[in-house]
Amino acid sequence: MRYELIVIGSGPAGRRAAIQAAKLGKSVLVVENRYRVGGVSVHTGTIPSKTLRETVLNLTGWRERGFYGRAYRVKKDIEGKDLNARLQMTLDHEIDVLEHQFTRNGVRTIEGVAQFRGPHEIAVTGPKGEVHIFEAERVLIAVGTTPYRPSSIPFNGTNILDSDDLISEPRVPRSLTVIGAGVIGIEYATIFSALDVPVTLIEPRDSFLDFVDREIIDDFVHQLRDRGMAIRLGAKVDRVEIDGQGWAISVLEDGRRIRSEMLLYAAGRIGATAPLGLENCGLEADSRGRLTVDPVTLQTSVPHIYAAGDVIGFPSLASTSMEQGRIAACHAFGAPMPPAPAYFPYGIYAVPEISTVGLSEQEVREKGIPYECGIARFRETSRGHIMGMQAGMMKLIFALEDRRLLGVHIIGESATELIHIGQAVLNLGGTIDYFVENTFNYPTLAEAYKIAALDAWNRMPRCDDHHQSALDRALPELKRLKAKAQSLAAKAA
């Protein structure tokens, strides 16, 4: 059977491409090697990890500890079954929604492992060994990634795990070692730390999350160490052993030994391209199983074959993968493609959240742009005080020459939601005047935008009477916000 587009993988990139192509009137087949659609994002990645995070924050009462103390708990003894109950409900809902979207748009799906027989011919081997042959006018590879599992690590699925093992049957260990301080490692390390599990984070490099503004990372590290997490930077693991009690021993190159009941190895992922038979269609993956594409069109070196999502590498975000899938489908069938925005947000669902858009302070310096920063602490806002927030901050960076917003960096509760205000202003070319001259709902965490902007404005050179008058109008509002926060703080004391 012949299709105008065959999509291999039904994660964020695959689903968006399939639906976009179907809306253009094309015949579309989606091949998924799991028995239910959704890809890595739904089954072992984005949705499960974020659901686990939300479950932990709710059951531990994490958000209320600013008022009731670190000993506060909603549920005293939290077990694996508590974590798994909400997880299954969420996954079932996500899959149901996705299946409905495919049906409504006339996208056909088939379960099985896809393999190229030629540039336009794909064989799909079903769960019972049956083989179906399809012809494709165009193909999108969106198979995602799998955890990197070096042979030197004795994975056993019980106490030495990768991220897929961890989420498939979550449980609460007495202690946890996480090897790898990438996004996945950081998220799981902080989630289990919020459960009051002693966590040790090991990273061979001297820094982590290098794409995030360093001031935000410094604040993040301070919060993690303040709650007892051990962070071992510049520490390379020589080997992992299992002791007589079945606990994992991480032996570092400098001789240190770190013992924990459970070990999560989260040092990288590889593209899931091995079963595809790429040699039969003229493609070759790199050493990490990733494919190279044209960054504008998402075409591989074989023009009718596209690739999108995690399989093409950084940034490996569900949000960007969806957009890549849409762009690939539009280009494949000659549909108009509006230019991509200059900046998109990153969200790291750690505890606390981190989100960023635009340039970091380090990048601004490297570009030689004269700038000024403004900082707002969430505890300075009335809403932050109402919520019992003791940490969290927002950092805005503005160019001195034209006063444009250059970057927004947030750590703390609702960071991944708040970032979109800054994203809109940044991509629309807005300046500091937007934040200073507009009214924000009160009390909200979004007021931090105005506080941070005014903090920067106080140190920026005055350009003309208009800007000065705008500042004069804004200062009473800033004084009112600070007075209100101080009043609440005094009452609480």
Side-chain angles (χ1 to χ4, degrees), residues 8 31 112-118 121-125 132-134 274-280:
I8 306 175
V31 183
V113 177
Q115 184 179 53
F116 283 96
R117 292 282 183 89
E121 187 177 76
I122 294 175
V124 178
T125 304
H132 306 272
I133 306 297
F134 301 97
L276 293 179
L278 295 177
E279 66 279 1
N280 298 324

Side-chain angles (χ1 to χ4, degrees), residues 7 91 104 108 124 128 146 192 196 225 274 289 313 329 347 398 445:
V7 178
L91 299 193
R104 189 178 65 214
R108 184 186 169 190
V124 178
K128 296 181 180 179
T146 59
F192 280 90
D196 296 310
R225 284 183 166 146
F398 300 96
L445 294 179

Side-chain angles (χ1 to χ4, degrees), residues 294-358:
D294 182 304
V296 176
T297 66
L298 282 306
Q299 287 173 291
T300 66
S301 58
V302 179
H304 73 279
I305 301 178
Y306 294 73
D310 289 8
V311 74
I312 66 173
F314 187 84
S316 299
L317 301 170
S319 55
T320 54
S321 296
M322 289 181 187
E323 188 63 9
Q324 289 167 356
R326 184 187 71 84
I327 290 171
C330 287
H331 184 270
F333 298 107
M337 296 186 301
Y343 300 103
F344 54 86
Y346 295 88
I348 301 171
Y349 291 83
V351 184
E353 290 180 22
I354 297 174
S355 199
T356 179
V357 66

Side-chain angles (χ1 to χ4, degrees), residues 468-491:
Q468 183 61 50
S469 63
L471 176 59
D472 292 339
R473 293 194 302 271
L475 282 176
E477 175 72 2
L478 178 61
K479 291 179 180 178
R480 182 185 69 80
L481 292 173
K482 287 192 172 182
K484 184 71 173 178
Q486 290 171 353
S487 175
L488 288 171
K491 290 179 181 179

